[in-house]
């Protein structure tokens, strides 16, 4: 198993990814371009998966015959290690009309993901071992790919009293977060960091100063001034981030900063890493490809928290992703019901879906024009579990098969054939994108294949 807890340092790692039992797959992908930058692989090969494990990487045409194996003619197609998303919202328990574990994991598999980490701002929130146990049980029945569950830092996400972090960790929490809300009280976060050091499991932080953000609905800048909307300044994020990095350094604790959006935040992270803070961070496809110019449309599919910022901020995120200041790509997949989005921009719910479009959007807007290399994108999309002790999948013999089969030439229109997600609030809706995930193998099993993509069966 290569999507597994690495167990390095700290107390013994509990089983943090929940898997559904099921039969392993046997298949042969013939003649695909296999790319895994971590093992220095970029070559046309026949890839043999036998009983869920990568059994062989043969010269094209050299794969053995295996009775009953599914045969895929993959010439001209690309196979990369499947992606890991450290930040999704699956709305379980309480808001299953927006997304549940079945639709959420299918949406993830459709985007090429083999594992995801689900946030805890549910209804009720995941702030007790009882709620955590019930969502883990549901995932064992409903999830088509492995899911790690975050538990809350504070009870009821009220930002005051800590949860039983050690007990939650033992019950399988992959980490801790009050995402959706910042932890405004520095004393509360300091205590949480002290417990994190004992319990293990990184604390993931939604960085925002509630006083600086108050009343804001979009980025504070030229566009908000023109539209007459109250803005959220970038420093709302970076000042809080700076405070929290200082606290993490002081306590010797480990933090993961969610959805970086501002240049000042990238600069703070770079300084913190240089100073020895144990901090990792993520950026979303929407912040990497879009700016607040999109908000001129007043379309609520461009409303999320943190908001889309300026071209200068976007460039800083790209530089951060390139030089490793930003560790990984996270979608912050946030499904909402149509009635919460089809209202005036100021009143609309925060958040956009993202799992099904992440790779294609980044490939279309960044790889195709030569802004980012495909290798770098694959690295940053497969490393999302690392802050939580989950090693990136690899394409090597004996590894559990976690693979994404992609047609890099295929163009498709987002939403034209519907979505696997129960919600449709995508920033890329109706956009024509290049490159599409055709099939995903997660934890040794075919978890998804596009309807238009048929497989042959040998024997
Ligand atoms: Zn957040
Ligand atoms: Zn979030």
């Amino acid at each position: 198993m290569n999507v597994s807890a690495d167990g390095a340092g700290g107390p013994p790692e509990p089983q943090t990814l929940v898997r559904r039992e099921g039969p392993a797959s046997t298949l042969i992908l013939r003649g695909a371009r296999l790319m895994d930058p971590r093992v220095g692989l970029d070559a046309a090969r026949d890839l043999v998966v036998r009983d869920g494990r990568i059994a062989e990487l043969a010269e094209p045409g050299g794969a053995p015959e295996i009775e009953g194996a599914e045969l895929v003619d993959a010439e001209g197609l690309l196979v990369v290690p499947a992606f890991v998303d450290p930040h999704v919202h699956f709305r379980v328990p309480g808001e299953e009309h927006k997304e549940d574990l079945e639709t959420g994991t299918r949406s993830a598999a459709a985007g090429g993901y083999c594992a995801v980490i689900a946030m805890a701002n549910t209804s009720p929130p995941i702030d007790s071992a009882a709620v955590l146990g019930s969502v883990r049980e549901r995932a064992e029945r409903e999830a088509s790919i492995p899911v790690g569950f975050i538990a809350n830092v504070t009870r009821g996400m009220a930002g005051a009293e800590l949860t039983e972090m050690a007990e939650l960790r033992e019950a399988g929490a992959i980490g801790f977060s009050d995402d959706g809300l910042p932890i405004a009280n520095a004393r509360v976060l300091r205590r949480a960091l002290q417990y994190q050091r004992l319990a293990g499991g990184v604390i993931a932080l939604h960085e925002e100063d509630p006083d600086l953000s108050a009343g804001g609905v979009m980025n504070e800048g030229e566009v908000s001034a023109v539209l007459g909307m109250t803005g959220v300044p970038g420093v709302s994020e970076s000042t809080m981030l700076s405070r929290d990095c200082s606290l993490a350094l002081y306590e010797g604790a480990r933090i993961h900063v969610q959805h970086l959006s501002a240049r000042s935040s990238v600069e703070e992270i770079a300084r913190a890493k240089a100073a020895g803070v144990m901090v990792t961070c993520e950026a979303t496809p929407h912040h990497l490809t879009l700016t607040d110019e999109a908000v001129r449309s007043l379309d609520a599919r461009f409303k999320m928290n943190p908001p889309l910022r300026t071209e200068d901020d976007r460039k800083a995120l790209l530089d951060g992703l390139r030089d490793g200041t930003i560790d990984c790509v996270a979608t912050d997949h946030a499904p909402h019901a149509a009635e919460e989005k089809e209202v005036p921009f100021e009143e609309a719910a925060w958040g956009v879906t993202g799992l099904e479009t992440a790779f294609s959007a980044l490939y279309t807007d960044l790889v195709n024009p030569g802004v980012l290399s495909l290798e770098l994108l694959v690295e940053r999309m497969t490393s999302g579990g690392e802050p939580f002790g989950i090693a990136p999948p690899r394409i090597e013999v004996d590894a559990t098969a976690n693979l994404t089969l992609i047609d890099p030439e295929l163009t498709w229109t987002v939403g034209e054939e519907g979505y696997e997600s129960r919600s449709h609030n995508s920033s890329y809706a109706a956009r024509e994108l290049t490159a599409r995930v055709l099939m995903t193998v997660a934890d040794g099993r075919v978890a998804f294949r596009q309807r238009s993509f048929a497989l042959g069966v040998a024997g």
Side-chain angles (χ1 to χ4, degrees):
M1 193 116 315
N2 58 359
V3 173
S4 62
D6 64 6
E13 299 285 324
Q15 193 57 44
T16 51
L17 282 181
V18 184
R19 306 178 150 78
R20 190 172 68 179
E21 292 301 316
S25 298
T26 295
L27 62 147
I28 301 170
L29 306 175
R30 276 195 179 142
R33 175 185 176 195
L34 309 186
M35 177 189 276
D36 181 355
R38 279 191 190 81
V39 300
L41 175 66
D42 186 357
R45 290 280 184 275
D46 283 359
L47 192 158
V48 181
V49 174
R50 196 194 282 260
D51 299 326
R53 291 191 164 270
I54 297 176
E56 206 171 321
L57 305 173
E59 290 297 322
E65 303 264 315
I66 302 177
E67 213 187 301
E70 290 179 294
L71 283 182
V72 182
D73 177 9
E75 227 172 289
L77 304 180
L78 174 70
V79 174
V80 297
F83 312 132
V84 181
D85 193 339
H87 186 163
V88 303
H89 296 269
F90 280 169
R91 311 306 189 196
V92 176
E95 292 181 304
E96 289 84 352
H97 63 287
K98 298 180 179 183
E99 197 82 285
D100 62 26
L101 296 172
E102 191 194 339
T103 59
T105 53
R106 197 164 65 232
S107 179
Y113 289 89
C114 65
V116 293
I117 296 175
M119 292 300 133
N121 60 337
T122 48
S123 182
I126 303 175
D127 65 353
S128 71
V131 180
L132 177 62
S134 82
V135 292
R136 283 174 59 95
E137 266 174 40
R138 282 174 72 172
E140 280 171 19
R141 293 195 305 271
E142 299 167 17
S144 52
I145 65 169
V147 183
F149 289 95
I150 292 282
N152 291 128
V153 178
T154 70
R155 284 179 204 270
M157 292 180 60
E161 225 185 309
L162 295 186
T163 56
E164 299 289 344
M165 289 172 63
E167 187 192 334
L168 284 161
R169 184 73 178 148
E170 272 169 39
I174 198 167
F176 300 94
S177 184
D178 280 0
D179 179 45
L181 296 172
I183 298 169
N185 185 318
R187 193 164 58 92
V188 170
L189 180 63
R190 182 185 176 191
R191 291 278 287 159
L193 293 169
Q194 292 167 344
Y195 276 102
Q196 182 272 321
R197 232 177 37 212
L198 300 172
V202 72
I203 295 182
L205 294 162
H206 168 120
E207 300 291 24
E208 174 178 14
D209 182 317
D211 295 312
L212 289 174
S213 290
V217 295
M218 64 172 294
N219 179 52
E220 180 177 290
E222 267 174 52
V223 181
S224 67
V226 168
L227 295 175
M229 288 192 193
T230 308
V232 175
V235 288
S236 174
E237 177 177 276
S238 55
T239 53
M240 202 67 157
L241 192 167
S242 167
R243 181 201 78 173
D244 293 351
C245 285
S246 298
L247 286 170
L249 184 65
Y250 187 67
E251 293 297 344
R254 189 177 288 280
I255 59 172
H256 175 73
V257 177
Q258 301 179 296
H259 45 48
L260 245 62
S261 67
R263 171 178 288 277
S264 51
S265 299
V266 182
E267 291 167 354
E268 287 294 345
I269 291 279
R271 269 198 289 276
K273 284 186 168 180
V277 181
M278 289 190 283
V279 59
T280 51
C281 66
E282 63 188 36
T284 70
H286 44 272
H287 290 111
L288 290 163
T289 61
L290 300 166
T291 68
D292 60 357
E293 290 294 327
V295 180
R296 289 183 194 270
S297 67
L298 300 180
D299 188 328
R301 284 179 307 203
F302 299 111
K303 182 175 178 181
M304 70 292 285
N305 191 14
L308 298 174
R309 299 204 188 269
T310 65
E311 182 62 10
D312 180 60
D313 293 304
R314 189 180 79 90
K315 289 215 164 97
L317 294 176
L318 288 170
D319 288 340
L321 199 67
R322 257 191 230 105
D323 69 19
T325 304
I326 297 173
D327 300 88
C328 54
V329 171
T331 64
D332 195 8
H333 178 82
H336 285 294
E339 62 268 22
E340 293 174 293
K341 281 296 201 180
E342 287 162 6
V343 293
F345 190 89
E346 292 94 322
E347 295 158 33
W350 301 94
V352 293
T353 56
L355 286 164
E356 289 164 62
T357 51
F359 178 80
S360 299
L362 293 166
Y363 188 89
T364 304
D365 285 355
L366 302 178
V367 175
N368 257 350
V371 176
L372 285 187
S373 71
L374 178 59
E375 288 85 348
L376 188 97
L377 180 61
V378 169
E379 277 192 50
R380 298 288 186 264
M381 287 190 73
T382 49
S383 58
E386 278 188 302
F388 300 86
I390 307 297
R394 286 169 186 259
I395 301 181
E396 55 190 7
V397 171
D398 283 340
T400 300
N402 287 289
L403 305 162
T404 300
L405 178 69
I406 294 161
D407 185 339
E409 308 274 306
L410 190 70
T411 58
W412 60 293
T413 303
V414 177
E416 198 175 50
E417 298 159 15
Y419 298 90
E420 301 300 331
S421 171
R422 191 160 283 152
S423 293
H424 299 178
N425 50 312
S426 166
S427 294
Y428 305 100
R431 270 275 310 273
E432 188 173 275
L433 299 179
T434 305
R436 189 160 204 195
V437 172
L438 297 181
M439 186 169 97
T440 304
V441 181
D443 199 24
R445 246 185 300 164
V446 175
F448 181 81
R449 68 180 61 118
Q450 286 294 344
R451 272 158 283 195
S452 55
F453 182 66
L455 296 180
V457 179

